Amino acid sequence: MNCDVIWSKLLEQIKTDLSTISFFTWFQDTKLYKLENEKAYIIVPMQIHKKHLMENYSDLIVNTLQKLTNSNYDLILLMEDEIKEDEEKKEIIKENSIKKDNSVLLKDNENVNNNLNNKYTFDNFIVGNSNKFAHAAALSVAENPGHMYNPLFLYGNSGLGKTHLMHAIGNYIIETTNKRVLYVTSEQFRQDFVKANRRDDSGTNFNYIDFFKNKYRNIDVLLIDDIQFLGGAGKSQEEFFHTFNNLYNDSKQIIISSDRSPTDLKLLEDRLRTRFTWGLTVNIYPPEYALKTEILKKKIIAGNFEQDIPDDVIEYIASNIGPDVRQLEGSVTRLLAYSAIMGGEKITLDLAIEALKDFISKGIGGEKNDIQRIQKIVSEYFQISMEDIRSKKRSSNISFPRQIAMYLCRTMTTESFPKIGTEFGGKDHSTVMHSVEKIENEIKTNKDLANIIEKLKKDIGVV
Ligand code: ADP
Ligand code: MG
């Protein structure tokens, strides 16, 4: 039973013992904040409630709680802002009170401050080619924390769902086990560490060190987001190193996210980077076209909007916006807002083009399919224009990148030679074949070219 349920049951019972007016005066707007260490923390609306409730109703509350939970609690009455003001101290109390051996605890991990956002779950994470490995790895860690892959290191560009997957793991674990989970960003970790080293006016450091150790070591699962921001923060890195070792040695699950791979985390010490690769490192790639449309469709259904969004509009968005999923979501919001401002005008392709024109002309996306995406990445790499790479021009500074792009299209997508030819200035399929063969042969002897192709493949990701 969670606190809200317990409290509403308690109120139901107490209501029958009191006059209506007393009940409303003293119990309306009260809330059970938490049950912990044989203490019941109850939120009351005003100071006066504290004294009055304590003097008149404490026995009634304690006895009713006892009946509902089979435990005896001392009452602590607080006002909402006292909790907020004192959050740090409360956290110390709370974290200190977590007992080491979770086997003796009932399911108490729900009331621990785990920072999880229940909006992000596996249920609403949509899987496609580009993220299916990351998704599977995340789920397998969630189902078996501390045993399968430790640490799990998720990396990829912004907006590809790393944070979503991390919360999904955490939510899954707290639902299915009694394990204690903590989600923090590396910035939060750094701040806590700084706080742990702070002294107060008298030169002492009350309980902060204990608070820190409890918070980060007395847990079963640590999710640390955006680890790249820990780079440069010397002492925090050192502390994270110890935290990592401590948890790792106790077979506690660690999940890390980053915008780049462990080897590219240049600001982190080697010993940390090495540890990050001990478990499983998973790259989450930009969503392919099909996944983008799928995400858009699901978000539209979930949003339950009054207006229908037709398929051609979804296709238009998927072709022109992304790869950041946040931008996909943003474009739907913008489209709906635009239609509302226009007096609820029906959403059509024309309206979408108009509503999203600023978004698109800023150069976000622009590719209509995977061939165009490859063309875009290759032309950016060689600093030539999309028009040129798609043209018939023969100068070598254009034709060479074009050949590379054709090679990548052929080896990374399922597109046919003729289709690729059409997208490259209407070239004949034999010209495409010839270009692909040429690059294939050259890679074998030209190491620089092989490296360039590798780099481009990485940027293109999964198609
Ligand atoms: P990151 O942490 O990689 O920058 P987020 O996890 O914050 O990205 O994702 C950005 C937004 O896109 C969030 O609202 C998230 O729910 C959504 N999102 C990303 N990938 C997916 C997906 N595969 N299915 C559903 N929503 C997704
Ligand atoms: Mg994130």
Side-chain angles (χ1 to χ4, degrees):
M1 255 197 302
N2 76 19
C3 288
D4 289 346
V5 176
I6 295 174
W7 199 244
S8 67
K9 291 204 165 158
L10 175 136
L11 292 182
E12 250 171 56
Q13 298 198 9
I14 286 185
K15 205 174 185 173
T16 58
D17 295 336
L18 302 183
S19 73
T20 313
I21 181 86
S22 307
F23 180 77
F24 279 108
T25 313
W26 300 114
F27 286 93
Q28 200 178 24
D29 298 328
T30 59
K31 204 174 142 187
L32 182 58
Y33 177 56
K34 62 181 176 185
L35 294 173
E36 206 169 74
N37 270 3
E38 294 162 3
K39 294 191 178 66
Y41 294 77
I42 296 158
I43 300 179
V44 297
M46 289 183 284
Q47 281 292 352
I48 187 175
H49 288 73
K50 290 187 188 170
K51 195 167 154 49
H52 190 91
L53 284 171
M54 271 316 211
E55 282 174 9
N56 299 284
Y57 297 111
S58 61
D59 287 349
L60 180 63
I61 299 173
V62 168
N63 293 339
T64 317
L65 265 180
Q66 212 278 336
K67 273 191 232 147
L68 288 168
T69 63
N70 283 329
S71 311
N72 260 318
Y73 292 98
D74 289 335
L75 303 184
I76 297 185
L77 305 186
L78 295 157
M79 289 190 327
E80 192 112 41
D81 53 358
E82 288 174 318
I83 289 179
K84 286 206 189 95
E85 261 170 34
D86 235 9
E87 197 70 282
E88 265 170 21
K89 269 196 200 153
K90 290 285 169 333
E91 236 177 66
I92 293 165
I93 298 168
K94 189 154 62 170
E95 304 289 343
N96 276 341
S97 71
I98 297 170
K99 291 170 199 146
K100 275 253 180 279
D101 180 3
N102 67 3
S103 62
V104 300
L105 294 178
L106 290 170
K107 194 158 171 51
D108 66 349
N109 61 358
E110 284 158 9
N111 293 331
V112 176
N113 191 13
N114 51 35
N115 296 335
L116 289 172
N117 183 341
N118 59 14
K119 200 175 99 184
Y120 297 130
T121 61
F122 282 116
D123 286 344
N124 59 19
F125 187 83
I126 300 152
V127 184
N129 282 337
S130 49
N131 62 17
K132 67 177 175 210
F133 188 43
H135 170 264
L139 189 60
S140 100
V141 164
E143 284 174 349
N144 216 340
H147 297 293
M148 293 297 284
Y149 310 110
N150 207 13
L152 174 66
F153 190 100
L154 283 172
Y155 76 97
N157 286 341
S158 174
L160 302 185
K162 300 182 295 296
T163 298
H164 188 135
L165 275 180
M166 294 186 99
H167 284 284
I169 296 173
N171 285 320
Y172 188 97
I173 295 174
I174 59 164
E175 262 168 44
T176 53
T177 72
N178 198 26
K179 290 188 187 298
R180 288 154 311 199
V181 176
L182 176 66
Y183 167 92
V184 286
T185 60
S186 66
E187 177 54 20
Q188 177 70 51
F189 180 86
R190 195 190 61 76
Q191 282 176 12
D192 282 343
F193 176 69
V194 169
K195 224 185 276 167
N197 285 285
R198 195 170 64 191
R199 316 249 148 213
D200 67 10
D201 294 343
S202 62
T204 48
N205 173 352
F206 20 109
N207 271 330
Y208 280 122
I209 297 245
D210 285 346
F211 158 68
F212 183 85
K213 294 230 156 101
N214 264 315
K215 176 164 177 178
Y216 287 99
R217 304 212 177 151
N218 213 353
I219 49 175
D220 303 300
V221 179
L222 175 65
L223 297 138
I224 183 149
D225 207 352
D226 286 325
I227 196 82
Q228 72 272 11
F229 295 128
L230 200 63
K235 287 248 166 65
S236 303
Q237 262 197 59
E238 163 115 27
E239 185 57 39
F240 186 68
F241 177 73
H242 295 307
T243 304
F244 184 101
N245 288 342
N246 212 284
L247 293 173
Y248 185 87
N249 291 336
D250 280 350
S251 298
K252 307 296 190 191
Q253 180 70 48
I254 303 157
I255 298 135
I256 303 160
S257 89
S258 163
D259 67 349
R260 62 203 82 166
S261 74
T263 31
D264 288 337
L265 281 165
K266 300 273 187 263
L267 286 171
L268 289 191
E269 296 170 21
D270 283 347
R271 56 182 188 170
L272 262 182
R273 284 197 303 212
T274 328
R275 275 167 174 71
F276 290 170
T277 58
W278 280 356
L280 179 68
T281 300
V282 182
N283 193 351
I284 177 160
Y285 296 100
E288 66 281 11
Y289 177 80
L291 178 59
K292 287 204 252 176
T293 51
E294 182 79 9
I295 290 176
L296 284 165
K297 284 182 180 161
K298 292 263 165 71
K299 299 265 168 192
I300 290 164
I301 293 170
N304 208 3
F305 308 121
E306 276 174 26
Q307 276 251 36
D308 203 30
I309 302 187
D311 280 354
D312 58 348
V313 172
I314 293 175
E315 282 159 23
Y316 176 76
I317 298 174
S319 310
N320 288 285
I321 293 190
D324 187 332
V325 177
R326 246 178 244 119
Q327 288 164 357
L328 286 182
E329 296 176 339
S331 63
V332 173
T333 312
R334 194 183 167 105
L335 186 56
L336 290 163
Y338 191 85
S339 138
I341 290 166
M342 303 301 279
E345 200 173 308
K346 197 160 175 290
I347 295 178
T348 60
L349 187 55
D350 284 342
L351 186 93
I353 292 170
E354 181 58 29
L356 301 174
K357 67 173 189 283
D358 295 343
F359 253 42
I360 288 166
S361 63
K362 277 191 197 119
I364 303 163
E367 71 274 11
K368 291 207 169 42
N369 54 36
D370 290 327
I371 296 182
Q372 292 192 16
R373 190 150 74 82
I374 292 174
Q375 288 173 332
K376 182 156 171 268
I377 289 169
V378 175
S379 53
E380 271 168 12
Y381 181 84
F382 289 99
Q383 301 190 342
I384 60 172
S385 71
M386 270 288 267
E387 284 82 65
D388 282 347
I389 207 165
R390 289 171 63 79
S391 73
K392 288 197 156 96
K393 287 186 193 162
R394 292 186 178 199
S395 58
S396 67
N397 68 322
I398 295 171
S399 65
F400 183 58
R402 187 188 296 131
Q403 286 170 345
I404 290 179
M406 286 181 183
Y407 164 81
L408 290 168
C409 287
R410 179 61 191 172
T411 50
M412 296 184 76
T413 74
T414 49
E415 303 290 5
S416 63
F417 286 122
K419 165 78 175 150
I420 296 171
T422 324
E423 295 275 350
F424 285 87
K427 289 213 162 10
D428 189 80
H429 80 277
S430 61
T431 316
V432 182
M433 273 168 83
H434 172 73
S435 303
V436 173
E437 268 167 31
K438 179 170 169 260
I439 299 291
E440 234 158 34
N441 288 329
E442 237 178 285
I443 295 175
K444 290 181 193 145
T445 51
N446 183 341
K447 190 134 200 308
D448 289 340
L449 178 64
N451 286 338
I452 292 173
I453 301 268
E454 267 322 295
K455 152 105 183 65
L456 288 168
K457 278 189 172 169
K458 256 195 188 160
D459 290 346
I460 293 162
V462 174
V463 286

